[in-house]
Amino acid sequence: MKKFGEELARLNPEQLEAVEAIYGPVLVVAGPGTGKTQLLSLRVANILQETDASPDNILCLTFTEAGARNMHERLLGLIGKEAEKITISTYHEFAKNLITGYPNYFEEYNLKRTIDELGQHKILKRILDSLPFDDINRNYYRENLGVYLSIISDFKKHLLTPDDIE
């Protein structure tokens, strides 16, 4: 693991402390391009080196597909083919795989499948088309479907129920 040692030598004291933290969570707060992915990749490599943890017992989640690919490439460079056994995914992809892989645990939520942006537009358009012809929402939406989807997204982020919205 010569590369591992070289990469450790490049870290500042705070980054090194995060990499050397074997057990429990570590919060890394930093802006874009500051080395978070590298730090987390080094932490995974360190955990594998210092413990009896197996690569298939490690889960790495990130917000973007690019971040997941980047972490995978970095881990390949640090630990080799063992990186293939680590689950590296976006939060959304991981959740989708969990739901589709274990549907019996999600039956009460009536989750059939995820929907893409085009599907969201189609459903919203169908709903708004069903409104009376003189309804302001029906006439306004043709140019502003994105506004409606953004509002719905805000409702979901704030965990508003239909009763709250009404």
Side-chain angles (χ1 to χ4, degrees), residues 22-139:
I22 300 291
Y23 302 100
V26 171
L27 177 63
V28 177
V29 180
T34 56
K36 292 181 300 296
T37 302
Q38 178 69 352
L39 184 144
L40 295 173
S41 300
L42 288 167
R43 183 171 189 229
V44 168
N46 191 44
I47 289 170
L48 291 173
Q49 182 176 314
E50 298 294 325
T51 71
D52 61 352
S54 173
D56 57 347
N57 294 129
I58 294 180
L59 170 64
C60 298
L61 297 176
T62 183
F63 287 103
T64 65
E65 290 179 18
R69 276 191 308 275
N70 189 317
M71 188 174 295
H72 182 258
E73 290 168 12
R74 288 176 190 265
L75 281 165
L76 276 173
L78 288 169
I79 64 173
K81 66 181 180 173
E82 290 295 294
E84 300 296 340
K85 298 176 184 175
I86 298 172
T87 300
I88 304 169
S89 180
T90 64
Y91 290 95
H92 290 99
E93 185 69 21
F94 179 73
K96 184 180 95 174
N97 290 340
L98 196 63
I99 290 167
T100 57
Y102 302 92
N104 51 318
Y105 290 99
F106 299 94
E107 287 173 353
E108 69 183 272
Y109 300 106
N110 197 22
L111 302 172
K112 300 295 182 203
R113 62 184 171 88
T114 57
I115 187 167
D116 61 13
E117 192 174 339
L118 180 60
Q120 291 172 355
H121 277 85
K122 285 181 179 179
I123 290 171
L124 185 57
K125 184 178 182 309
R126 191 170 52 231
I127 291 168
L128 292 172
D129 277 342
S130 71
L131 295 174
F133 187 73
D134 61 346
D135 188 296
I136 189 170
N137 289 301
R138 178 188 170 122
N139 297 318

